[in-house]
């Protein structure tokens, strides 16, 4: 089943999501990228109802891009989070709501701070030091409580993430096989192998 | 599973002598799973009004935006700040507009209202999710720990508490109530409104 994790560190946010695209009990694809790069310093991991997820993520991606083009500056992570939350909250009370859960990790270049937001399909928004979605969250959040260091280096952050992934692989019956990991910091977005 | 208990959280407000207090826990959960221990559900509206929105977290954010918009419009049109009583009715009508598809929150309002003689009078109120107002003279409670809050508040509250005594009373009430509720807790925030200042303190609580 789908799992996504994210954590902040001294001056970065790590976002990880599994790479399986499943339908019912069948794996359709094992190298799906479920982390979108919304702007030069903003990442969004999405999970939920297949179909809704990609449709909603692309809608968000294009609108954030449109804002960037119109105003010449990208929307800040907190402003993006507020706008995305609103889109989900309005969708919730519509005829067919999006069933999409998000982790929004970004680097605020104005404040020089990493930011991470936990957003669910209801439009619940919370700024957090670490977050997870899916069945993996029941394992990962406890590990983050124990090992997360808000002042940690990238290496330390990746080691903590590795612990989560390993634990989920070990204990979760429906654990995903592969993960894609992306890091956002002051220099922008980059992908790392784990 | 009720949608009112999905995210958890509780708010209590109490009247003191020329002061009011409003306190809340800081948990945001998804049923039994804790997501955040820094979630804010009590917000300042003016220098003399604070309000809390326990209930579904998405509606907490949505209603906060709505109230801010409606109160800003009121301030511009009337060219004065809104009174707590007026705000309570604004909250009530906003919620009743959605009578048959409600916002799942139970607002609590605490403020100091102006008297004709120029003094300040403590004011507290609470509503249910469709805007039925409850003006109380002593204390109001709401959220997943509301039953427990009623019990402890009934035992601890007394009339004419000074600001520091009110702080102690409201803090003890909230902390002891949320410790018996799995869906509330994880830290508390307490605001005491007096005529010349607002005292805001964050309390450490049990993390289980």
């Amino acid at each position: 089943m789908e799992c996504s994790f994210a954590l902040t560190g001294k001056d970065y946010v790590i976002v990880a999501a599994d790479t399986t695209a499943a339908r019912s009990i069948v794996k359709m694809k094992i190298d799906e990228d479920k982390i979108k790069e919304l702007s030069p310093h903003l990442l969004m991991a999405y999970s939920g109802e297949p179909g809704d997820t990609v449709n909603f993520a692309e809608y968000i991606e294009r609108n954030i891009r449109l804002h960037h083009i119109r105003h010449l500056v990208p929307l800040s992570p907190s402003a993006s989070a507020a706008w995305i939350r609103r889109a989900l909250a309005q969708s919730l009370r519509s005829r067919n709501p999006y069933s999409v859960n998000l982790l929004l990790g970004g680097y605020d270049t104005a404040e020089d701070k990493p930011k991470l937001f936990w957003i669910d399909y209801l439009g619940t928004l919370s700024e957090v030091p670490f977050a997870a979605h899916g069945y993996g969250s029941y394992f990962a959040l406890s590990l983050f409580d124990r090992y997360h260091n808000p002042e940690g280096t990238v290496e330390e952050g990746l080691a903590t993430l590795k612990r989560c992934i390993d634990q989920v692989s070990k204990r979760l019956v429906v654990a995903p096989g592969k993960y894609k990991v992306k890091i956002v910091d002051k220099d922008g977005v980059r992908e790392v192998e784990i | 599973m009720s949608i009112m208990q999905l995210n958890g959280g509780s708010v209590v407000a109490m009247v003191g002598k020329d002061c009011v207090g409003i306190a809340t826990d800081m948990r945001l959960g998804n049923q039994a799973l804790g997501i955040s221990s820094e979630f804010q559900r009590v917000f300042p509206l003016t220098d003399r009004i604070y309000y809390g929105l326990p209930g579904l977290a998405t509606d907490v954010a949505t209603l906060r935006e709505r109230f801010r918009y409606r109160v800003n419009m009121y301030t511009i049109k009337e060219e004065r700040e809104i009174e707590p009583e007026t705000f309570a009715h604004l909250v009530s009508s906003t919620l009743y507009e959605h009578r048959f598809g409600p916002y799942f929150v139970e607002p609590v309002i605490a403020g100091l209202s102006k008297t004709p003689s120029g003094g300040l009078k403590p004011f507290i109120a609470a509503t249910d999710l469709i805007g039925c107002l409850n003006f109380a003279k002593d204390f109001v409670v709401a959220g997943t720990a509301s039953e427990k809050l009623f019990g402890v508040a009934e035992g601890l509250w007394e009339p004419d508490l000074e600001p520091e005594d009110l702080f102690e009373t409201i803090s003890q009430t909230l902390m002891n109530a949320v410790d018996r509720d799995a869906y509330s807790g994880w830290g508390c925030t307490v605001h005491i409104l007096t005529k010349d200042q607002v005292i805001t303190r964050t309390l450490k609580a049990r993390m289980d």
Side-chain angles (χ1 to χ4, degrees):
Chain A
M1 296 281 232
E2 286 187 309
C3 291
S4 43
F5 315 115
L7 68 154
T8 56
K10 188 166 164 51
D11 45 14
Y12 63 88
V13 184
I14 303 176
V15 182
D18 71 291
T19 56
T20 47
R23 198 183 147 191
S24 182
I25 54 162
V26 182
K27 275 184 189 170
M28 293 294 190
K29 195 166 180 274
I30 52 153
D31 58 351
E32 173 88 334
D33 184 358
K34 291 188 276 194
I35 307 174
K36 274 225 181 305
E37 286 154 37
L38 298 184
S39 68
H41 293 94
L42 193 61
L43 288 171
M44 181 174 80
Y46 53 90
S47 57
E49 191 74 27
D52 277 10
T53 49
V54 177
N55 189 241
F56 183 76
E58 284 180 357
Y59 168 73
I60 296 299
E61 186 187 29
R62 291 299 99 198
N63 273 100
I64 300 264
R65 176 80 184 122
L66 178 65
H67 181 96
H68 191 166
I69 293 166
R70 276 186 177 162
H71 298 93
L72 304 173
V73 282
L75 208 55
S76 72
S78 43
S80 305
W83 187 80
I84 294 166
R85 189 210 80 82
R86 204 183 171 83
L88 279 169
Q90 282 172 347
S91 145
L92 183 71
R93 292 184 200 280
S94 73
R95 186 181 272 267
N96 82 349
Y98 283 111
S99 185
V100 186
N101 298 316
L102 309 166
L103 294 177
L104 199 71
Y107 190 83
D108 195 324
T109 44
E111 282 183 54
D112 261 334
K113 269 189 191 140
K115 298 255 177 163
L116 175 61
F117 300 92
W118 182 93
I119 305 173
D120 76 358
Y121 72 101
L122 299 166
T124 311
L125 170 70
S126 180
E127 193 183 343
V128 285
F130 48 79
H133 273 302
Y135 284 116
S137 64
Y138 295 104
F139 303 89
L141 290 178
S142 318
L143 281 163
F144 282 140
D145 278 333
R146 177 68 184 77
Y147 294 107
H148 178 255
N149 175 10
E151 296 295 310
T153 59
V154 178
E155 290 70 32
E156 197 177 342
L158 285 170
T160 309
L161 177 69
K162 192 83 175 34
R163 277 181 191 276
C164 293
I165 291 174
D166 289 347
Q167 197 64 19
V168 168
S169 306
K170 187 176 176 184
R171 295 288 175 186
L172 184 64
V173 175
V174 284
K178 266 180 66 195
Y179 290 85
K180 204 175 258 290
V181 182
K182 294 186 186 181
I183 299 177
V184 56
D185 57 17
K186 65 177 194 315
D187 304 319
V189 173
R190 68 178 188 276
E191 196 182 322
V192 292
E193 285 300 318
I194 192 154
Chain B
M1 182 211 74
S2 158
I3 202 158
M4 294 294 293
Q5 339 261 298
L6 185 86
N7 299 120
S10 306
V11 177
V12 54
M14 283 182 178
V15 169
K17 189 172 166 41
D18 301 318
C19 61
V20 283
I22 182 165
T24 172
D25 68 316
M26 290 164 83
R27 182 177 182 269
L28 170 74
N30 221 236
Q31 304 207 61
L33 178 72
I35 300 294
S36 173
S37 55
E38 282 154 46
F39 188 73
Q40 288 298 330
R41 66 184 107 249
V42 168
F43 310 107
L45 190 80
T46 67
D47 294 340
R48 294 185 289 114
I49 308 172
Y50 274 64
Y51 67 102
L53 302 168
L56 189 67
T58 179
D59 291 342
V60 172
T62 306
L63 277 177
R64 187 196 179 184
E65 287 168 14
R66 275 189 83 99
F67 290 146
R68 190 172 77 147
Y69 172 74
R70 293 193 68 169
V71 168
N72 280 348
M73 292 306 284
Y74 181 96
T75 314
I76 294 164
K77 279 184 186 158
E78 297 278 326
E79 296 182 333
R80 65 187 167 87
E81 274 194 349
I82 197 165
E83 286 299 313
E85 287 88 343
T86 322
F87 177 63
H89 283 99
L90 185 145
V91 168
S92 170
S93 69
T94 307
L95 290 176
Y96 199 77
E97 273 179 17
H98 300 269
R99 170 64 179 80
F100 297 109
Y103 288 118
F104 297 95
V105 291
E106 295 178 327
V108 170
I109 300 139
L112 296 167
S113 59
K114 278 213 178 79
T115 55
S117 57
L120 290 172
K121 192 169 74 60
F123 171 89
I124 54 165
T127 90
D128 66 2
L129 78 168
I130 52 169
C132 176
L133 276 167
N134 164 26
F135 300 109
K137 289 188 188 69
D138 43 10
F139 54 83
V140 285
V141 300
T144 55
S146 59
E147 298 95 330
K148 294 112 189 168
L149 281 165
F150 265 124
V152 190
E154 199 75 69
L156 294 185
W157 186 84
E158 47 192 270
D160 296 324
L161 289 162
E162 294 295 330
E164 278 306 318
D165 298 330
L166 181 69
F167 169 77
E168 196 61 28
T169 307
I170 198 167
S171 303
Q172 289 294 343
T173 302
L174 184 72
M175 295 269 270
N176 288 294
V178 299
D179 280 355
R180 278 286 172 185
D181 182 35
Y183 300 112
S184 301
W186 270 26
C188 302
T189 314
V190 183
H191 306 277
I192 304 291
L193 284 69
T194 64
K195 70 176 197 304
D196 42 31
Q197 65 167 336
V198 179
I199 308 162
T200 300
R201 291 191 186 123
T202 313
L203 307 178
K204 274 193 184 177
R206 286 176 68 107
M207 297 299 281
D208 58 358

